[in-house]
Amino acid sequence: MLTIENLRVVYHDVISVLNGVSLEVKQGEILIIIGTNGAGKTTLLRAVSGMIDFYDGDIIEGDIKMADTSIKGLDATDIMKRYGVTYVMEDRPVFWYLTIEENLRAAAFSRWDKRVKTDMEKVFEFFPVLHTMRHKKAGYASGGEQQMLAISMALMTKPKILLLDEPSLGLAPLITEELFDIIKRLNESGITIVLVEQNAHAALNIGTRGYVVETGRIVLDGMAQELLENEDVREFYLGSGEKERRSYKDAKRYKRRKRWL
Amino acid sequence: MIDLLQTLGSGVLVGLVYALLGLCIVIIFKASEAFNFAIGEFLIIGSFLFYVLFFNDTLPWHKALPLGLLIFLFFSFTLVTDRHLHLRIAIPLGFAAGTLVFFIFFVGLKLPSLIASPVLRFVVALPLGLMAAGVVGAVVERFTIKPLLGRSPIAMTIVTLGLGFFLRACIQLIWGSHSYSFFLDLPDITLEMGEFLFLSDPIWAGILSLLTFALVIVFLFRTRWGLAIRATSEDQAKAMAFGINARFVLLMVWGISALCIAVAGIMISNFGALSAGMGFVGLRAIPVVLIGGMDSIGGALVGGILVGLCEAVAGSYIEPLGLIGFKEVAPYLLLLIVLFIRPYGLFGTVRIERV
């Protein structure tokens, strides 16, 4: 469905963040991308969604294709409208000073049709908690509610592919579990999901396939279950594995076994 | 006592015009965090555009032609780059707009001979003039502010400073620097009650400013586009991620701002005359927004009225003591006091910035 070929992204013309990332998103799956801080996960999503321009980044090489048509360099609005790729930024991208209902209407702005109201009802069905507080300002909602709002705002744009950037950031474990449940349900309703996460264990548990990104490269990929059992992933992302703890210096050890796509 | 009430009344009426000026600054500041220092020049341009339409004061061809050409180039360019139209469609559309502008400036709409009644003429010319001012605002935004989207607000603020000089020079090139008599001939609604006397012009100015202010607020809080503006004002990146075209929203905000400034400009010109050197009046907006709070729409209204009152009181009570010109300074003194007590203005959002 979505293919990324050898993507290289540079910020401010000098800072190279992605050094040739290739990956493929298949229709109807939950794709997990895990990696350390600064590995380039967020940049990858920004590049796909067309937001990279706003952050003064450039795609200097490679291509992003949506079913054989290149969407590289298109405006964020165009990518969303024409190809149904919606990017939910990290850290709960809701408008604090607007009420929850206004937030949802603002997110439906790119659509001209009159079905916004019925869609909003559907979203409220999905997240009943939002319905009870729909006239409250989003800034007063709790972290979990804000994240749910962010996802429902994304739903208002009628996405085909949902790019989620660390939805569990700063949320309590119980809420995270609920959130991942919701993501799974969304996927079952037919939305392809790309999920970037630090919480590797929970993410890989609901995911179909996964990629491990490190310093702007894909170093590992496979089915989510395989990754969960992979010794290196267990050690560096799941915090378990061999008994003796290696120093962080060795963390990049498995780069030698890297598979190029 | 009557004297004081009289002074306060006129202060409020002028204050409403200032409030409108403040609103123009505030909506731009909310949307792009930049202070528009070119407000004075926008004020003069808006007034002159209205003047051209209302009094049919046309320009010679060597001035009208470049204007038409500029509009032609701008429209074609924008339609191609922003709306992704094909050149075959964009160029004729741009050409039509350019020709229209050329004819309006060269031949004029002949409103004075078409419509005899000055009130009706005002009603027809005002929306046209305001629309023209809005287009000017949008054109300016497209060339100066849009390339800076996502950059530091300071950069935008400095651009508006330079823009002010540039626009002032343009105005002087086109209309010269002499005064134009500006008499709208609106119906006389002078209010005379006992010993009170409120002149017609300030009352009109107050009413129209308040009306414009209310319309802008209705637009911001009751329409879909207004919602998009408020969302973008909060965070451009988030708005873009949810499919709101932040670039277009910014364009719209500048258009609306230029339009409101034009209303204020027309009202202020109506007090006296219109000239290219009138731009300093626009800077009255600085104490208004700083007193009210840079990002508060209600604050602009309160700040405007406060500045108007302060000016009126200083004018009729302190100036006779021998302090000529104190009227001009008084709002800044008030500003100083307010900032000592509330550094973010009366209604401004207190920002917490971690270093």
Side-chain angles (χ1 to χ4, degrees), chain B residues 67-146:
Chain B
L67 284 175
L69 204 63
L70 186 78
I71 292 291
F72 163 52
L73 289 176
F74 167 73
F75 267 92
S76 317
F77 181 67
T78 315
L79 288 173
V80 171
T81 53
D82 289 10
R83 298 274 117 197
H84 305 294
L85 284 185
H86 198 271
L87 275 180
R88 263 185 316 209
I89 311 165
I91 287 186
L93 276 177
F95 189 74
T99 322
L100 185 72
V101 167
F102 172 72
F103 272 101
I104 286 177
F105 280 102
F106 186 59
V107 186
L109 290 179
K110 306 262 184 236
L111 282 183
S113 51
L114 278 176
I115 307 168
S117 148
V119 181
L120 205 59
R121 187 143 52 100
F122 180 71
V123 172
V124 173
L126 188 68
L128 289 175
L130 296 185
M131 252 157 59
V135 170
V136 170
V139 171
V140 166
E141 193 275 347
R142 182 65 179 71
F143 283 119
T144 57
I145 303 297
K146 192 191 154 190

Side-chain angles (χ1 to χ4, degrees), chain A residues 206-245:
Chain A
I206 62 160
T208 327
R209 287 187 312 130
Y211 287 93
V212 179
V213 188
E214 206 159 273
T215 54
R217 285 196 180 85
I218 304 268
V219 290
L220 263 178
D221 79 302
M223 300 308 284
Q225 218 51 42
E226 277 169 42
L227 286 180
L228 265 176
E229 282 151 21
N230 183 295
E231 191 190 312
D232 293 316
V233 175
R234 280 168 74 91
E235 188 176 345
F236 298 118
Y237 295 103
L238 304 178
S240 59
E242 290 173 35
K243 283 126 256 160
E244 72 173 301
R245 253 191 113 72

Side-chain angles (χ1 to χ4, degrees), chain B residues 185-201:
Chain B
D185 208 7
L186 290 170
D188 192 16
I189 50 168
T190 304
L191 213 60
E192 212 177 344
M193 291 180 305
E195 290 176 69
F196 289 111
L197 175 71
F198 292 112
L199 289 176
S200 171
D201 285 348

Side-chain angles (χ1 to χ4, degrees), chain B residues 133-313:
Chain B
V135 170
V136 170
V139 171
V140 166
E141 193 275 347
R142 182 65 179 71
F143 283 119
T144 57
I145 303 297
K146 192 191 154 190
L148 296 175
L149 192 74
R151 307 293 157 86
S152 149
I154 297 290
M156 290 190 201
T157 306
I158 290 172
V159 161
T160 66
L161 263 178
L163 188 69
F165 289 111
F166 174 76
L167 289 179
R168 199 176 314 156
C170 288
I171 296 163
Q172 288 188 351
L173 262 179
I174 299 173
W175 283 290
S177 46
H178 58 281
S179 289
Y180 288 74
S181 84
F182 201 97
F183 184 57
L184 291 182
D185 208 7
L186 290 170
D188 192 16
I189 50 168
T190 304
L191 213 60
E192 212 177 344
M193 291 180 305
E195 290 176 69
F196 289 111
L197 175 71
F198 292 112
L199 289 176
S200 171
D201 285 348
I203 295 179
W204 271 115
I207 291 174
L208 283 175
S209 300
L210 200 61
L211 195 70
T212 317
F213 202 104
L215 281 178
V216 171
I217 287 182
V218 168
F219 180 75
L220 282 180
F221 288 90
R222 285 280 170 271
T223 65
R224 222 170 121 253
W225 286 99
L227 184 65
I229 291 178
R230 282 186 294 147
T232 312
S233 303
E234 206 179 307
D235 195 315
Q236 290 174 356
K238 286 178 193 171
M240 274 168 80
F242 285 118
I244 297 172
N245 193 342
R247 295 190 169 91
F248 188 69
V249 166
L250 220 58
L251 191 86
M252 201 161 58
V253 167
W254 276 75
I256 293 171
S257 177
L259 194 145
C260 297
I261 298 174
V263 175
I266 293 165
M267 290 299 114
I268 291 171
S269 310
N270 192 30
F271 290 160
L274 170 62
S275 76
M278 215 176 64
F280 66 89
V281 185
L283 295 182
R284 245 322 104 83
I286 294 175
V288 172
V289 292
L290 289 179
I291 287 174
M294 288 293 278
D295 50 5
S296 160
I297 290 174
L301 186 63
V302 175
I305 291 174
L306 277 180
V307 167
L309 284 176
C310 180
E311 225 184 60
V313 170

Side-chain angles (χ1 to χ4, degrees), chain A residues 80 94-97 109 112, chain B residues 224 230 234 237-238 241-242:
Chain A
M80 169 182 286
V94 299
F95 302 111
W96 284 43
Y97 294 96
F109 179 78
W112 277 103
Chain B
R224 222 170 121 253
R230 282 186 294 147
E234 206 179 307
K238 286 178 193 171
F242 285 118

Side-chain angles (χ1 to χ4, degrees), chain A residues 18-250:
Chain A
L18 294 185
N19 310 305
V21 167
S22 304
L23 58 80
E24 191 191 349
V25 184
K26 289 179 187 145
Q27 174 98 40
E29 69 175 353
I30 301 184
L31 183 72
I32 312 292
I33 298 174
I34 54 177
T36 47
N37 293 96
K41 301 175 305 262
T42 299
T43 305
L44 183 63
L45 295 194
R46 281 179 186 165
V48 173
S49 64
M51 290 287 290
I52 196 78
D53 222 27
F54 188 82
Y55 295 97
D56 201 14
D58 279 312
I59 299 174
I60 53 169
E61 224 183 283
D63 206 351
I64 305 167
K65 278 182 187 161
M66 189 77 179
D68 293 335
T69 39
S70 174
I71 59 170
K72 189 177 83 169
L74 283 182
D75 233 30
T77 331
D78 286 342
I79 291 180
M80 169 182 286
K81 269 197 222 168
R82 281 198 241 156
Y83 300 97
V85 180
T86 300
Y87 169 41
V88 182
M89 296 198 294
E90 63 190 328
D91 206 11
R92 313 196 281 264
V94 299
F95 302 111
W96 284 43
Y97 294 96
L98 304 186
T99 65
I100 284 176
E101 205 179 311
E102 283 174 332
N103 262 294
L104 292 173
R105 276 197 288 134
F109 179 78
S110 59
R111 298 160 37 197
W112 277 103
D113 52 36
K114 295 257 183 265
R115 289 196 300 277
V116 171
K117 255 226 141 70
T118 52
D119 283 350
M120 212 179 324
E121 292 306 317
K122 260 189 228 162
V123 163
F124 282 144
E125 246 167 62
F126 220 91
F127 301 96
V129 60
L130 295 181
H131 187 260
T132 57
M133 48 193 288
R134 64 186 189 282
H135 295 302
K136 218 161 108 183
K137 287 215 164 109
Y140 295 127
S142 74
E145 287 156 357
Q146 283 181 358
Q147 190 60 59
M148 284 176 200
L149 177 59
I151 291 178
S152 18
M153 284 163 78
L155 289 182
M156 291 299 284
T157 65
K158 296 243 155 179
K160 290 196 193 83
I161 300 183
L162 202 52
L163 312 174
L164 298 174
D165 199 348
E166 286 195 41
S168 74
L169 187 76
L171 298 185
L174 259 176
I175 308 275
T176 309
E177 216 171 278
E178 199 187 327
L179 199 71
F180 277 40
D181 228 45
I182 288 165
I183 292 171
K184 212 168 161 145
R185 268 164 63 205
L186 286 180
N187 178 248
E188 279 156 11
S189 74
I191 301 170
T192 308
I193 285 168
V194 178
L195 178 61
V196 161
E197 262 296 337
Q198 295 281 358
N199 191 343
H201 189 79
L204 286 174
N205 263 326
I206 62 160
T208 327
R209 287 187 312 130
Y211 287 93
V212 179
V213 188
E214 206 159 273
T215 54
R217 285 196 180 85
I218 304 268
V219 290
L220 263 178
D221 79 302
M223 300 308 284
Q225 218 51 42
E226 277 169 42
L227 286 180
L228 265 176
E229 282 151 21
N230 183 295
E231 191 190 312
D232 293 316
V233 175
R234 280 168 74 91
E235 188 176 345
F236 298 118
Y237 295 103
L238 304 178
S240 59
E242 290 173 35
K243 283 126 256 160
E244 72 173 301
R245 253 191 113 72
R246 288 207 182 79
S247 85
Y248 192 70
K249 202 168 64 183
D250 306 324

